[in-house]
Amino acid sequence: MLDPFLSPPAFLPKLTQPLADLLALPTLPLHAHEILLAFTFYHIVNTRLSPLLSTYLFPSIYPKLNRRTKINWDVHVVSLVQSCLINTLALWVLWVDEERTEMDWRGRVWGYTGAGGMIQGFAAGYFLWDLMVSSMNVGVFGWGLLAHAVSALVVFSLGFRPFVNFYGPTFILYELSSPFLNFHWFFDKLHMTGSRAQLYNGLVLLFTFFGCRLVWGTYQSLRVYQDVWAALQTPGTLVLTASDVGNDGAVKGVIEGAEEPISEIMRYAGEKVVPVWLACTYLGSNIVLNTLNFYWFGKMIETVKKRFKPPQEGSKERSGGKEVADGGPVEVTGGPGIVVEEDGSLLGDGIVVEKTVVGDDRRKVLTLEQEDVRRRR
């Protein structure tokens, strides 16, 4: 299936060809415009559209967030937009690209379709943007998300070699759980912690994350391991295989001028050799992604439990002579220059701190005078 997206401008393939030659990514010039378009679009969403729309839709919440939380908010908006777009495109390609069903392990390892390249182009553009944002804000997002961005960018960039281009739309379906993950985060910031909406969303989040990333992702990882292992055990050749011939015995998609008949799918296969370093790089990145998915799933279960666990009797937190039951996150709702650290401590001059108490949808608001805040520093 050819790339259904717009053709690149004439100058761009020529401009990116030296980089493609240097990195041995021959199909990169065909999709460079999709990478640049995705990167630019998500940067605009992050820096322009998200602040503008968030201020308009939530005027009493977004403008009062501290800088750290605003960065997190805008990145979650980008993640929500990206996951909805790329999931729709990937599912569509999986449904309509009939060439995928004709591929054996050789096609899955060395084959290439324009539609698969399009998915990898848009995905690589997003993960390139994600790498930039994660590296600039390690203190906000942590080293785990930075490792995720690096690994994902490597995995999808290698598809331009092409190497396991077939699995691009397959692995991007990890993102099916991302919309619900972002909604769960937004519910906290919109003071809906412990609400029925967050509960139902949390259940869907756990189901989709477990199904798409742990079950589907692990199964597809085993398949790619098998295909790459078969390629490592097979000496490089450039001969016609049974998968390149139709039922009528005719060669499918023969390229004129080729020394030997090669199918259109395999036109970039070269000598059909998988270097050990390439296999180790791809599979190593895949293992990092899967490990992070299992780790995050455990953290998600803990988080959801905390949101909906009733407060224990006698568990109290004193502040300013008042008692507030434990069980919910501390959220700053007012006051200039307030910063909430990871440990919950307050820095700067603050006035209002809201403590959400989960359990029977009960909520209590604790108002702290400025001197009380200073005593808690």
Side-chain angles (χ1 to χ4, degrees):
M1 180 178 176
L2 299 177
D3 187 342
F5 195 65
L6 300 175
S7 300
F11 72 90
L12 192 57
K14 296 180 181 179
L15 187 64
T16 55
Q17 190 62 53
L19 178 62
D21 294 337
L22 177 64
L23 300 178
L25 303 174
T27 65
L28 176 63
L30 303 177
H31 303 282
H33 63 302
E34 293 160 345
I35 297 175
L36 294 176
L37 179 62
F39 179 90
T40 304
F41 173 69
Y42 294 129
H43 180 67
I44 292 175
V45 172
N46 180 57
T47 59
R48 295 292 185 267
L49 296 183
S50 176
L52 182 64
L53 292 177
S54 299
T55 301
Y56 176 76
L57 295 175
F58 309 104
S60 63
I61 296 178
Y62 181 82
K64 298 178 182 180
L65 298 176
N66 60 67
R67 178 181 176 275
R68 178 191 183 97
T69 307
K70 279 186 177 179
I71 293 174
N72 222 329
W73 178 294
D74 295 333
V75 168
H76 275 82
V77 171
V78 175
S79 176
L80 178 61
V81 172
Q82 186 268 346
S83 58
C84 292
L85 290 177
I86 201 67
N87 285 328
T88 302
L89 287 174
L91 290 172
W92 178 74
V93 168
L94 291 174
W95 180 261
V96 302
D97 191 355
E98 297 180 355
E99 289 177 319
R100 294 174 56 85
T101 61
E102 302 174 3
M103 296 183 185
D104 59 3
W105 68 265
R106 296 175 182 84
R108 293 193 294 269
V109 174
W110 293 298
Y112 163 83
T113 67
M118 176 192 69
I119 297 298
Q120 290 185 313
F122 286 133
Y126 168 74
F127 289 119
L128 182 62
W129 172 86
D130 190 32
L131 175 61
M132 178 189 72
V133 173
S134 299
S135 60
M136 293 173 60
N137 300 279
V138 175
V140 177
F141 302 111
W143 292 101
L145 282 181
L146 181 59
H148 177 273
V150 172
S151 299
L153 182 60
V154 168
V155 165
F156 283 96
S157 296
L158 288 176
F160 299 120
R161 191 173 177 91
F163 179 67
V164 293
N165 169 273
F166 172 90
Y167 287 98
T170 299
F171 283 122
I172 203 64
L173 292 184
Y174 279 10
E175 296 293 320
L176 283 172
S177 63
S178 294
F180 307 104
L181 179 62
N182 289 305
F183 285 138
H184 187 84
W185 188 90
F186 283 124
F187 281 134
D188 281 343
K189 303 309 172 187
L190 296 176
H191 312 306
M192 297 177 65
T193 302
S195 64
R196 290 184 180 274
Q198 190 181 50
L199 172 62
Y200 298 147
N201 179 81
L203 295 176
V204 176
L205 168 60
L206 292 177
F207 176 79
T208 55
F209 195 99
F210 178 81
C212 298
R213 300 199 179 214
L214 304 191
V215 177
W216 171 262
T218 302
Y219 169 69
Q220 294 298 330
S221 295
L222 292 176
R223 289 191 63 193
V224 76
Y225 297 160
Q226 291 174 338
D227 289 342
V228 172
W229 177 254
L232 287 171
Q233 302 302 307
T234 303
T237 57
L238 199 59
V239 299
L240 191 67
T241 64
S243 64
D244 300 323
V245 181
N247 295 329
D248 58 356
V251 176
K252 298 178 290 185
V254 174
I255 302 173
E256 295 183 3
E259 296 181 359
E260 298 183 6
I262 307 171
S263 74
E264 192 72 17
I265 293 175
M266 304 295 286
R267 66 182 303 171
Y268 295 104
E271 297 181 354
K272 296 183 182 178
V273 174
V274 176
V276 175
W277 70 264
L278 178 60
C280 292
T281 300
Y282 183 91
L283 299 182
S285 298
N286 187 273
I287 290 173
V288 170
L289 293 174
N290 285 329
T291 302
L292 287 172
N293 285 332
F294 278 92
Y295 171 77
W296 285 335
F297 185 69
K299 290 294 184 181
M300 287 166 53
I301 293 178
E302 293 179 6
T303 300
V304 172
K305 283 183 177 180
K306 289 179 180 179
R307 294 294 188 276
F308 301 97
K309 182 179 180 181
Q312 297 180 355
E313 291 290 334
S315 178
K316 303 289 183 178
E317 177 182 324
R318 289 187 175 273
S319 181
K322 298 183 180 181
E323 295 183 340
V324 180
D326 290 336
V330 175
E331 185 70 41
V332 174
T333 59
I338 300 176
V339 178
V340 181
E341 297 298 298
E342 291 294 334
D343 61 359
S345 60
L346 302 179
L347 301 177
D349 294 328
I351 298 177
V352 180
V353 175
E354 180 175 294
K355 178 120 181 149
T356 304
V357 182
V358 180
D360 299 331
D361 293 330
R362 293 172 297 171
R363 301 177 183 277
K364 295 182 180 180
V365 177
L366 173 63
T367 303
L368 302 177
E369 300 297 337
Q370 288 187 349
E371 56 268 25
D372 294 330
V373 175
R374 295 191 182 97
R375 284 200 297 269
R376 293 186 59 182
R377 291 178 183 174

